[in-house]
Amino acid sequence: MNKLFHLAHWSLVAIVAVSVIVISQTGYSLWQTNQVNAFISGNVEPEIVPEHLKAQFSQAFRDVEQDKAESALERLTTVLGTDDSELAAAAYFNRGNIHLREAQAMATDDTARISLVGLAKQDYRNALLLNSSFWDARYNLELALQMVPEASPDASAAAKGKGSRVVVKAVGFRVDLP
């Protein structure tokens, strides 16, 4: 009977020790989550941005508001490494917005404008691949396509061949078409 009480006593001590460890780990995790949430909500502005991807996304938004586009692009690029498809789609969308705004600020004859609009189109397409019902990305993709339309390969071939003869070659014979 004494051995049974002794075993119960040590079992209870072990359960209490494990419980204290689990409670301390949960408390620390909760504290970290509260710190990230406070940073995201804007209540606290620490000097160092937390490594949490949603905090990086939030800081990228603040960087855009402060006209720090390059810093925002870097932060949004780090966010793209997430498994959360909604967050990644939003990051692509915001990257596209940054590129599109920079392109709109340029003169229409500036050649760098075309490459920025191309980057914006690619980011909007990536956002749509992750979330096909992302209507804001669809709308902005249409705006980018209106700024710099894409020529289809069939249209360019038809424009070149307009008014000229097309020659089709095959093995064994040649046919000239009007």
Side-chain angles (χ1 to χ4, degrees):
M1 188 66 127
N2 196 13
K3 287 184 179 183
L4 185 62
F5 284 130
H6 189 62
L7 181 63
H9 171 74
W10 286 111
S11 297
L12 190 59
V13 168
I15 290 172
V16 168
V18 169
S19 298
V20 166
I21 291 171
V22 169
I23 288 171
S24 64
Q25 287 177 340
T26 305
Y28 181 71
S29 177
L30 184 61
W31 176 78
Q32 284 181 324
T33 302
N34 285 335
Q35 293 295 322
V36 170
N37 287 340
F39 177 81
I40 290 171
S41 67
N43 295 338
V44 169
E45 276 205 44
E47 293 179 13
I48 299 174
V49 179
E51 292 296 321
H52 195 273
L53 294 177
K54 290 186 178 180
Q56 294 290 326
F57 186 86
S58 176
Q59 184 61 38
F61 180 77
R62 289 186 191 125
D63 288 346
V64 169
E65 287 179 336
Q66 297 171 357
D67 292 329
K68 298 178 184 175
E70 291 300 319
S71 174
L73 286 172
E74 289 174 15
R75 291 188 190 284
L76 290 171
T77 302
T78 61
V79 171
L80 294 177
T82 184
D83 293 332
D84 184 3
S85 64
E86 284 186 37
L87 185 61
Y92 276 121
F93 175 71
N94 286 333
R95 280 173 35 127
N97 288 343
I98 292 169
H99 292 306
L100 195 61
R101 283 187 196 126
E102 287 179 358
Q104 287 173 336
M106 293 180 168
T108 56
D109 60 342
D110 193 351
T111 56
R113 183 176 193 223
I114 295 172
S115 63
L116 283 174
V117 173
L119 289 171
K121 287 190 271 189
Q122 186 61 40
D123 284 334
Y124 293 137
R125 286 184 178 123
N126 287 336
L128 288 170
L129 284 174
L130 293 171
N131 183 359
S132 62
S133 64
F134 198 169
W135 290 104
D136 291 335
R138 284 181 192 270
Y139 180 77
N140 287 2
L141 177 59
E142 288 298 320
L143 288 177
L145 286 169
Q146 287 176 2
M147 286 177 69
V148 179
E150 294 178 347
S152 67
D154 296 335
S156 63
K160 288 180 185 175
K162 194 174 187 179
S164 65
R165 294 179 357 146
V166 177
V167 177
V168 177
K169 292 183 180 179
V171 177
F173 63 95
R174 178 178 164 175
V175 178
D176 289 331
L177 298 175

